[in-house]
Amino acid sequence: MFDYKKARKNMVDNQIRPSNVTNRDLLESLSLVQRENFVSLEDSTLSYSDTYLRMEDGRNITSPRLIAKMIDGLKIKKKDIVLSIAPGFGYSCALMATLCELVVAVEKESIAEEAQNRLVEGGFDNVIVIPGDLAQGAVEHGPYDALIIEGGLETLPKNLTNQVKLGGRIVAIFVKGKLGHCNFGLKTRYGIDWKVLFEVSCPILSEFKINQEFVF
């Protein structure tokens, strides 16, 4: 029988800690949250490998090392309400749910119900998964203290950044050609103040290809 607990420990020790993820609460969550419950059954033994996995619609599930680095960079606080875009079956939401007050996630209709069910089964009752257009967000539950988008972007629509509070934080991966950067954004009265966190190669989400104003 595959030893998921050992694989999870190896992931934290050999992938996450060497990647400069320093948030102790996040590291504890990574050690406890069962990622095998948030991937396709046929990929369960690959749950803790440093690789992208595929969902039924052909989209990629972000690797655990990358999502850990993104969440670490978001600087989540206990009272935060976080908007999560494209979290797949909800692993990232489960991690963030242990760090903040509420996670509001937006996923495609074909995935959202499954994600919500998996989170409920895991006992993560402070996550709401809303079916809808990823690029539209969930304005009805905002404004948000933090925004995270789990996939590559060519463009970030203003209607999403408008859902973030003044002083709120954004973590997003901007991709140009083959080069991508995971960036941290701080919302100010003048716009979004961006800085690069790290370089990364990441598939672009179709909803965030260039078709509207680029705000980076």
Side-chain angles (χ1 to χ4, degrees):
M1 181 177 293
F2 189 82
D3 191 338
Y4 290 104
K5 184 176 181 180
K6 182 178 179 180
R8 190 160 54 248
K9 183 179 186 303
N10 288 339
M11 176 196 73
V12 173
D13 292 342
N14 300 324
Q15 296 177 38
I16 309 301
R17 292 184 189 276
S19 297
N20 296 319
V21 173
T22 58
N23 184 318
R24 291 184 179 181
D25 292 333
L26 175 57
L27 288 169
E28 182 178 358
S29 296
L30 286 158
S31 299
L32 296 174
V33 175
Q34 298 175 348
R35 190 173 189 252
E36 64 269 23
N37 295 333
F38 295 96
V39 302
S40 300
L41 181 60
E42 60 267 28
D43 289 332
S44 60
T45 57
L46 299 174
S47 300
Y48 301 103
S49 61
D50 187 20
T51 185
Y52 289 98
L53 300 177
R54 303 289 281 181
M55 290 190 294
E56 286 84 347
D57 68 345
R59 208 175 76 212
N60 290 303
I61 299 176
T62 306
S63 69
R65 184 174 68 90
L66 176 54
I67 198 60
K69 286 168 67 70
M70 292 178 74
I71 293 173
D72 192 47
L74 195 58
K75 303 177 182 179
I76 294 175
K77 303 170 185 175
K78 287 292 185 183
K79 295 296 183 181
D80 279 351
I81 299 176
V82 178
L83 175 60
S84 174
I85 303 296
F89 292 128
Y91 175 65
S92 57
C93 296
L95 294 173
M96 292 187 292
T98 68
L99 306 175
C100 68
E101 184 171 314
L102 176 67
V103 179
V104 178
V106 180
E107 251 304 349
K108 293 181 179 180
E109 189 169 353
S110 59
I111 300 172
E113 183 177 359
E114 179 68 22
Q116 186 73 80
N117 289 340
R118 293 185 186 216
L119 286 158
V120 170
E121 289 171 4
F124 302 100
D125 57 1
N126 59 332
V127 182
I128 303 170
V129 184
I130 299 171
D133 185 342
L134 302 181
Q136 294 303 311
V139 65
E140 65 273 22
H141 294 284
Y144 300 95
D145 300 286
L147 164 65
I148 185 169
I149 304 171
E150 199 169 324
L153 319 177
E154 289 180 340
T155 180
L156 178 55
K158 280 189 175 179
N159 70 290
L160 273 183
T161 60
N162 286 344
Q163 294 174 41
V164 178
K165 294 178 181 178
L166 194 64
R169 293 97 59 210
I170 303 170
V171 168
I173 299 172
F174 291 93
V175 179
K176 186 174 183 181
K178 295 183 179 180
L179 183 64
H181 293 92
C182 183
N183 290 9
F184 172 85
L186 180 67
K187 186 170 182 179
T188 74
R189 57 188 293 191
Y190 304 107
I192 309 297
D193 183 14
W194 293 101
K195 70 175 183 179
V196 175
L197 294 177
F198 53 88
E199 293 185 358
V200 62
S201 175
C202 183
I204 299 171
L205 295 166
S206 59
E207 293 84 354
F208 296 94
K209 290 183 179 293
I210 292 176
N211 56 9
Q212 51 192 315
E213 185 179 355
F214 190 51
V215 299
F216 172 61

